[in-house]
Amino acid sequence: MHNVALIVLIAIPLVGSVAVFSLPAGRDLLAKQIALAASVATLIYAAVLAIDFKNNGPRFQFNGSWVWIKDFGVHFALGVDGIAMVLILMSALLVPAVILSSWNSVDTVEDAEAIDQPKRSPKTFFGLVLLLEVFMLAVFAATDIFLFYVVFEAMLVPMYFIIGLFGGPRRQYAAMKFFLYSLLGGLLMLASVIGLYVTSGTGSFAFGDMIGKVPSGPSQNLLFLGFFIAFAIKAPLVPFHTWLPDAGAEAPVGGSILLVGVLDKVGTFGFIRYCLPLFPDASKTFAPTILILSVIGILYAAFLAMGQRDMKRLVAYTSVAHFGFIGIGIFAFTSQGGTGAVLYMVNHGLSTGALFMVVGFLIVRGKSRLVADYGGTAKVTPKLGGVFLLAGLSALALPGMSTFVSEFLVLVGTFTRHKGLAVLATTGIILAALYVLQLYQRTMQGTMLAKVAKFRDLSARELLAIGPLIGLIIVLGVYPKPLTDMINPAVKATLSDIHKTDPPPKSPNVRTESGR
Amino acid sequence: MNAAHGVQSLAWILVALPALSAAVLLLAGKKADRWGHLLGAGVPVVLFIYAVVLFFSLKGDSGEGGGRERNLHLFSWIPVGGFQVDAGFLIDPLSLTFVLLITGVGSLIHIYAVGYMAHDPGRRRFFGYFNLFVAAMLLLVLGNSYLSLYVGWEGVGLASYLLIGYYYDRPEAATAAKKAFIANRVGDVGLSVAIMLMFAYFGTTSYDGVFTSVGGASTGVATAIALMLLLGACGKSGQFPLQTWLPDAMAGPTPVSALIHAATMVTAGVYLIARSRLIFNHTEAARTVVVIIGAITLLYGCICAFGQDDLKKVLAYSTVSQIGYMFLAVGLGPGVYAIGIIHLLGHGFFKAALFLSAGSVMHAMNDRIDMRRFGALWKVMPITFGVFVCGWLAIIGFPGATGFFTKDKIIEAAFDKGGTSGYLLGIVALLGAGLTAAYMTRALVMTFFGKKRWEDDVHPHEASPVMTIPMMILGALALVGGFLLIVGAGVQHWLTPSVGGSVEEGAHTISPVVLSLITIVVVALGVAGAYLTTREVPAVQPIGVSPITTAARRNLYADAFNEAVLMRPGQWLTRGLVFLDNRGIDGVVNGLAAGLGGGSSRLKRTQTGFVRSYALTMLVGTVIVVVTLLASRYV
């Protein structure tokens, strides 16, 4: 088993990153071009892998495993199931979009006038983005739990520098907060990884060997909690969320997109990939608590989003609400909920990526993150107004867009087990409409502010960055089958790991649905 | 059910063509301004021609088995485990009736809009949104499952949002658009929960599957589903308690008010209930709620209409009230569904005629719409006046005009329900007819008769033929449409496969002839009363009026209620939670961080030392791992 397909996937951005970093100072344009080329190459390669992926084949594909630390059974083992595959595709798509959208915006502080600010090095930014991509791809592809832990932690480093070096005025505070939270989560996870190794007694860290090896009881509960809290901080679920609005707001927009779009997904990915199969009984024990926390998160974060004056904080809070939906989808233990949650992760990456991007376009023009500093903008920038609205509509999960498919699957999958919670979560769709349309009205509609009058409309580069995201959101809303077919077998396998099947329809007089 | 064949299998163009043309219109640059409106107005005409062909194709199929229901499977949309939703169309008399209404009246209003929007620099964008609406509305009525209905449902909501907020630089238009969307979202919660209930109990969301299974479900389940569907219907159709968005929606251009907020979209709630008749048939309780909502809204709309001086708002409240009649009809249940649909069609004709003539007036009066500033317009705008009179005759139910046939049927059906409730509903419906006659007469007199009250800078004139020809066609339909709809019970028979047969003749509470006479008397009293009280119209709204008038002007305090009960507490909650999140949760965490890190200020200051400490932690962590692993191996 030495399939190098995934090694190549990780190597492409790594080579690109090394190349960018080794350029002499001042070669910023070349650095951007190399970064774009490397990220596009990664995307094309990832797409080829996805086409080659057999939906009905083995659970893990493109497996490759190399001995790393022999004494402890640590392997450098990679492989993808349907869940990892779609998340890799999403990450590989976001990176070139981020590079294009950040092309000219990281030389100075995005959201303040460039007075008294030291010159920044775009080269470093694009090198860090590619390095981050290496870890993002590896974290989804790892099938060895020790390797997963190492990459999970290593991801912090480039993100820390992206926030700390290229962020807004309060970047150092935000970077520290991000770091402390992640540190706490990382330590808990480390303890649990060790505990898992000890209790499973397999002498290996291979994910496949660990399933069903942890005896149920207090030790499984403790290990579950260690992993869960680490992931809940990363995701983040309420009440572990307060680092995200600061980090999401202070990071440069490109950094925010990757932070919220991909890094946070590692948390929800961890729930479904690690928490459920490794600790099935503990998952069931804690599921009611987690479901309730998730529903609270959906409503609580939506109200907070409405109350924000800073556009980037607003988008960050919308994401906290969306992570609540992913949470209920995973812990409802139904195939609709699970598949919906994974699809939600992909769609959220596209949708929040687009939303952060349009907010970023606005900030680059107006040098302010505050909603109140804009008004009537659509009149002078109709293209920006159009994509802003589309991105907003995807965030409120408008039927016909891909986000609706995932949100409805999550809700319907939750409803079959927990009616009350699903109905409460459904009221979140009203709040989502409120915060999105309120933001759109205040920035884009109404009377035009004087300073807005000289804004340029979107450039071709900006349209190229956001167009594919919006296009994909619409296409996948009409035809999500390629993704659901890829995700569904992996979710089914996970559900069988925890011995759960979908509840059958309750009405006695039901016809069989086969063949329809 | 048979599969669609021949020309029927092309039905997907009904959605694809307007969606494509909307995309072209919205994405094409300024160079498309020259021909954009032609494309936009041409598409519904092509669709109408196709719909007529489709009608004859389906009618010709009647001899074959399976009746007049055709299923057109397109592709598998969301397949996850037991949740299998297909994209597909149901072509049956009910959906096809709506297709004909939407494309037929839609074509006329599109053509009218070419003239109405001629001087608007955003005309191409307008037609893009308008075609998007047509695509979504056709998807709504043609989809063969509740989930595909939901997509169309929200699509028309989006188009409505875009078009109400078409003049988005006007704050009141942007606010009205948002309000409409939010009210609809409240309804969407109902629709979503209804669909979830269907899946949880029946394992499917397709009409076919749900209707087959609903017979075996308990009444409780059927009632829950029906009430949730009703919540959705109330949101979309501007029914109590979600009615306040519809009058505000008049902030959009007048063709929008005519097509979306009168003739088609707002009747989608009636469609939903008629389509779901097998669910509603199963639950007396839910039908009672539908009837009560219809009756309340019917009177509410009439009363509020009296308080309005804005001609479009009068028509909007009239729409609210007329849809109340339709809800009343479909709530009466088996046998009356078809009557509700027939009134819906008639209303589509006469309300479109009324709105288009109101738009013509507005056009002539420099976009002013205050009836106190009109008066004596019949001389300068004879065609507009004529069309408005046709609509007026139709809506008040003048003998021979549309409302006489369609609305009086509903009054009759209400009495025929029998018992006290039947009398109560019948009297409400009858009272509504009188009030309708009165407020519509008030609008007619204030606009077209009396003394001229407009300023000297206004030069009213008749509109161009591109506007007046569609108006005249709709005016004619408003006059004779009702007769055509009921003659020989043709439409009723046509609809029977979809909505069930009619009630037995001869079971009347009050003989139809007597009831007709009573209705005519009530209507005549309404007309006379309004005429006598509107002979003198002050050019400025009088103050110090009766409490009832004040209440009617302020839509019976529905907005004030929403503001006090929903909006303000919501804002307080938001502010409280923001405070809690910043000071509470985050404060605790920051305190903890300061304690752990030895003071956040120090960490902030020494950024490089910070990374060093991180590296150190990693190192310590790795050492712990190694030691533990060694220990576990050798202990």
Side-chain angles (χ1 to χ4, degrees):
Chain A
M1 281 216 310
H2 293 304
N3 190 330
V4 294
L6 292 168
I7 296 272
V8 174
L9 177 71
I10 294 169
I12 301 171
L14 183 63
V15 170
S17 176
V18 170
V20 168
F21 276 122
S22 51
L23 285 173
R27 301 298 301 275
D28 289 336
L29 181 63
L30 188 59
K32 292 170 187 175
Q33 287 163 342
I34 292 175
L36 185 61
S39 63
V40 170
T42 313
L43 172 60
I44 293 170
Y45 184 73
V48 171
L49 284 185
I51 291 165
D52 201 31
F53 186 87
K54 311 270 182 303
N55 290 340
N56 298 316
R59 182 169 180 179
F60 284 94
Q61 300 182 27
F62 313 119
N63 295 306
S65 179
W66 295 267
V67 174
W68 186 11
I69 310 173
K70 199 174 172 205
D71 280 346
F72 311 121
V74 175
H75 288 75
F76 193 90
L78 302 174
V80 287
D81 61 358
I83 301 173
M85 191 70 243
V86 294
L87 289 171
I88 284 173
L89 273 179
M90 185 268 287
S91 312
L93 177 74
L94 278 182
V95 174
V98 160
I99 289 173
L100 268 178
S101 73
S102 311
W103 203 256
N104 294 328
S105 63
V106 289
D107 320 22
T108 54
V109 180
E110 286 171 355
D111 41 15
E113 299 293 347
I115 304 162
D116 294 337
Q117 295 287 348
K119 182 93 176 75
R120 291 174 164 184
S121 161
K123 190 192 84 170
T124 311
F125 176 82
F126 291 101
L128 285 170
V129 167
L130 284 181
L131 185 62
L132 186 60
E133 182 173 23
V134 173
F135 295 133
M136 291 185 320
L137 298 174
V139 82
F140 293 126
T143 51
D144 182 283
I145 295 174
F146 190 82
L147 174 64
F148 173 79
Y149 166 71
V150 170
V151 185
F152 183 82
E153 289 286 50
M155 253 181 354
L156 292 180
V157 179
M159 186 43 90
Y160 167 76
F161 282 110
I162 287 176
I163 300 175
L165 293 179
F166 297 92
R170 293 173 76 225
R171 57 186 174 272
Q172 311 229 329
Y173 168 75
M176 184 211 61
K177 202 165 169 183
F178 166 69
F179 164 74
L180 282 179
Y181 265 92
S182 303
L183 179 70
L184 179 67
L187 287 175
L188 276 171
M189 174 127 166
L190 177 60
S192 308
V193 167
I194 298 163
L196 182 64
Y197 182 78
V198 175
T199 48
S200 69
T202 51
S204 136
F205 281 97
F207 171 73
D209 297 347
M210 296 270 197
I211 295 176
K213 291 288 162 40
V214 186
S216 48
S219 62
Q220 195 188 96
N221 287 351
L222 279 177
L223 289 175
F224 171 86
L225 282 180
F227 272 86
F228 176 78
I229 293 175
F231 292 138
I233 290 173
K234 182 124 290 200
L237 286 188
V238 171
F240 304 104
H241 65 281
T242 58
W243 66 272
L244 184 66
D246 285 308
E250 294 301 326
V253 167
S256 310
I257 295 171
L258 294 178
L259 176 68
V260 180
V262 184
L263 261 63
D264 289 353
K265 271 347 132 31
V266 179
T268 50
F269 170 76
F271 292 154
I272 193 161
R273 165 61 76 72
Y274 293 101
C275 287
L276 262 52
L278 295 179
F279 318 111
D281 295 313
S283 296
K284 286 177 212 165
T285 308
F286 290 104
T289 316
I290 298 166
L291 286 166
I292 290 169
L293 275 181
S294 300
V295 172
I296 291 175
I298 292 170
L299 304 176
Y300 178 76
F303 273 108
L304 282 165
M306 272 186 264
Q308 299 305 311
R309 277 175 273 182
D310 176 324
M311 294 190 286
K312 280 165 84 183
R313 284 182 75 88
L314 191 158
V315 178
Y317 274 112
T318 67
S319 293
V320 177
H322 290 149
F323 292 132
F325 278 105
I326 299 176
I328 57 170
I330 292 173
F331 285 93
F333 306 136
T334 59
S335 62
Q336 291 84 30
T339 304
V342 176
L343 192 59
Y344 208 123
M345 295 182 209
V346 175
N347 291 333
H348 176 265
L350 304 175
S351 161
T352 301
L355 202 53
F356 262 124
M357 216 179 265
V358 288
V359 163
F361 294 155
L362 207 51
I363 290 171
V364 163
R365 287 162 173 76
K367 293 288 173 198
S368 163
R369 300 200 308 242
L370 296 182
V371 176
D373 284 340
Y374 301 89
T377 316
K379 201 87 190 166
V380 275
T381 59
K383 289 178 198 158
L384 177 55
V387 290
F388 199 121
L389 185 62
L390 286 169
L393 292 173
S394 77
L396 62 78
L398 186 87
M401 290 181 147
S402 62
T403 41
F404 167 72
V405 176
S406 45
E407 195 164 289
F408 198 81
L409 278 172
V410 162
L411 288 172
V412 85
T414 308
F415 189 85
T416 51
R417 269 195 221 288
H418 311 280
K419 294 203 174 48
L421 286 174
V423 171
L424 271 179
T426 307
T427 58
I429 70 173
I430 305 172
L431 303 177
L434 273 168
Y435 60 64
V436 166
L437 297 184
Q438 190 170 291
L439 173 68
Y440 184 74
Q441 184 184 359
R442 288 181 181 167
T443 55
M444 289 291 156
Q445 302 179 315
T447 318
M448 192 167 70
L449 296 188
K451 74 174 225 181
V452 165
K454 54 182 192 301
F455 283 8
R456 285 175 299 105
D457 205 350
L458 292 187
S459 67
R461 169 183 61 79
E462 288 168 324
L463 280 174
L464 194 61
I466 198 164
L469 301 186
I470 302 273
L472 214 51
I473 287 170
I474 293 171
V475 169
L476 289 175
V478 178
Y479 198 63
K481 197 168 180 288
L483 290 192
T484 53
D485 282 355
M486 200 178 274
I487 298 165
N488 201 21
V491 168
K492 279 205 171 124
T494 308
L495 289 178
S496 79
D497 288 341
I498 61 166
H499 313 293
K500 280 278 189 183
T501 49
D502 289 346
K506 287 181 189 149
S507 188
N509 201 16
V510 170
R511 299 186 311 182
T512 51
E513 276 295 296
S514 57
R516 275 172 37 83
Chain B
M1 198 187 310
N2 290 352
H5 61 88
V7 69
Q8 299 164 355
S9 43
L10 271 178
W12 55 270
I13 67 155
L14 284 168
V15 175
L17 192 63
L20 183 70
S21 112
V24 168
L25 289 169
L26 293 173
L27 294 177
K30 285 214 182 315
K31 57 189 173 299
D33 280 350
R34 274 183 297 119
W35 48 265
H37 53 283
L38 298 178
L39 173 67
V43 163
V45 176
V46 172
L47 296 182
F48 178 66
I49 294 167
Y50 173 73
V52 171
V53 173
L54 193 58
F55 171 75
F56 284 108
S57 157
L58 195 66
K59 212 167 156 50
D61 274 354
S62 55
E64 299 167 23
R68 284 176 182 155
E69 291 181 306
R70 292 287 174 277
N71 190 49
L72 175 61
H73 172 82
L74 295 173
F75 56 87
S76 166
W77 180 29
I78 311 179
V80 178
F83 190 77
Q84 296 286 333
V85 184
D86 291 346
F89 288 170
L90 170 64
I91 306 165
D92 76 341
L94 182 63
S95 63
L96 197 49
T97 303
F98 270 86
V99 170
L100 288 166
L101 172 75
I102 296 158
T103 55
V105 174
S107 295
L108 293 171
I109 299 177
H110 272 72
I111 294 166
Y112 172 93
V114 171
Y116 188 87
M117 302 299 287
H119 305 294
D120 192 300
R123 181 164 65 166
R124 180 172 48 84
R125 177 168 62 92
F126 174 86
F127 275 100
Y129 297 160
F130 232 27
N131 281 3
L132 175 69
F133 167 76
V134 170
M137 189 71 207
L138 290 172
L139 177 61
L140 191 164
V141 296
L142 279 167
N144 65 0
S145 72
Y146 280 96
L147 209 63
S148 35
L149 171 131
Y150 192 3
V151 174
W153 191 264
E154 202 73 0
V156 293
L158 171 65
S160 161
Y161 168 80
L162 292 168
L163 286 162
I164 297 170
Y166 176 76
Y167 304 114
Y168 57 83
D169 48 341
R170 300 179 189 166
E172 73 281 3
T175 304
K178 187 177 68 181
K179 184 175 176 183
F181 200 94
I182 303 296
N184 273 290
R185 273 259 141 166
V186 176
D188 289 348
V189 171
L191 192 54
S192 297
V193 173
I195 298 172
M196 289 187 240
L197 279 165
M198 290 170 194
F199 178 67
Y201 283 90
F202 312 140
T204 173
T205 70
S206 74
Y207 292 145
D208 194 24
V210 170
F211 299 152
T212 317
S213 307
V214 74
S218 70
T219 315
V221 172
T223 307
I225 294 177
L227 288 178
M228 287 294 120
L229 289 175
L230 176 62
L231 178 60
C234 286
K236 191 61 77 194
S237 292
Q239 297 293 289
F240 181 83
L242 296 174
Q243 79 286 8
T244 58
W245 67 269
L246 184 52
D248 289 10
M250 298 300 118
T254 307
V256 174
S257 313
L259 179 60
I260 302 183
H261 303 118
T264 57
M265 182 189 85
V266 290
T267 59
V270 183
Y271 169 80
L272 179 65
I273 295 173
R275 174 59 83 201
S276 312
R277 71 181 171 107
L278 292 175
I279 301 173
F280 281 86
N281 283 354
H282 204 54
T283 156
E284 176 79 36
R287 284 207 309 279
T288 307
V289 179
V290 177
V291 164
I292 291 173
I293 285 180
I296 291 177
T297 316
L298 184 173
L299 284 181
Y300 172 90
C302 289
I303 294 168
C304 290
F306 278 107
Q308 309 304 315
D309 291 333
D310 174 329
L311 175 58
K312 281 178 70 181
K313 290 231 163 143
V314 175
L315 296 179
Y317 278 111
S318 145
T319 304
V320 168
S321 162
Q322 293 295 314
I323 297 173
Y325 272 105
M326 298 171 209
F327 268 59
L328 177 60
V330 293
L332 288 172
V336 197
Y337 291 111
I339 294 173
I341 299 296
I342 289 170
H343 186 54
L344 187 157
L345 298 171
H347 176 256
F349 301 148
F350 65 68
K351 193 51 72 61
L354 287 168
F355 262 116
L356 293 193
S357 32
S360 172
V361 170
M362 202 174 158
H363 216 243
M365 305 300 284
N366 296 354
D367 276 352
R368 256 164 257 180
I369 193 66
D370 182 359
M371 294 189 298
R372 294 189 181 279
R373 294 294 183 173
F374 294 168
L377 283 174
W378 68 273
K379 258 184 289 187
V380 273
M381 307 182 70
I383 300 177
T384 303
F385 169 65
V387 172
F388 196 92
V389 167
C390 292
W392 174 76
L393 290 170
I395 192 172
I396 68 170
F398 189 82
T402 294
F404 176 75
F405 297 108
T406 63
K407 193 169 62 181
D408 287 11
K409 276 267 186 201
I410 297 178
I411 300 174
E412 188 184 311
F415 276 111
D416 288 350
K417 182 172 185 283
T420 321
S421 64
Y423 269 103
L424 211 58
L425 292 170
I427 289 167
V428 166
L430 197 56
L431 185 63
L435 292 172
T436 305
Y439 71 73
M440 283 308 299
T441 306
R442 172 178 175 268
L444 178 74
V445 172
M446 283 176 82
T447 305
F448 291 100
F449 296 118
K451 291 196 199 82
K452 137 182 178 342
R453 296 183 299 275
W454 67 78
E455 279 116 28
D456 291 334
D457 62 327
V458 184
H459 306 287
H461 52 89
E462 193 57 88
S464 60
V466 71
M467 285 165 68
T468 50
I469 291 171
M471 279 163 59
M472 288 187 282
I473 297 175
L474 281 167
L477 279 171
L479 268 192
V480 301
F483 178 71
L484 297 177
L485 286 169
I486 63 120
V487 63
V491 177
Q492 181 136 13
H493 287 154
W494 159 252
L495 285 171
T496 296
S498 298
V499 299
S502 60
V503 274
E504 293 292 312
E505 285 290 324
H508 297 297
T509 309
I510 301 175
S511 128
V513 181
V514 176
L515 190 58
S516 260
L517 287 174
I518 296 175
T519 311
I520 290 170
V521 171
V522 170
V523 166
L525 285 173
V527 171
Y531 181 74
L532 292 174
T533 49
T534 27
R535 277 184 306 179
E536 286 298 320
V537 182
V540 179
Q541 197 178 49
I543 47 171
V545 289
S546 72
I548 298 175
T549 312
T550 313
R553 281 181 191 168
R554 303 189 55 193
N555 66 14
L556 301 186
Y557 302 104
D559 276 331
F561 177 86
N562 287 343
E563 199 181 316
V565 175
L566 297 173
M567 221 173 88
R568 294 251 180 74
Q571 285 167 344
W572 294 331
L573 182 63
T574 303
R575 273 185 225 134
L577 289 179
V578 169
F579 182 81
L580 175 76
D581 204 59
N582 290 342
R583 297 292 147 76
I585 297 186
D586 205 26
V588 170
V589 172
N590 275 345
L592 210 68
L596 280 176
S600 57
S601 55
R602 204 186 55 170
L603 277 171
K604 253 192 282 184
R605 204 171 54 236
T606 56
Q607 191 193 315
T608 43
F610 176 23
V611 175
R612 221 180 295 133
S613 73
Y614 182 62
L616 188 70
T617 321
M618 287 276 275
L619 183 68
V620 172
T622 318
V623 169
I624 297 173
V625 179
V626 173
V627 170
T628 321
L629 293 184
L630 286 171
S632 70
R633 192 158 258 236
Y634 296 110
V635 173

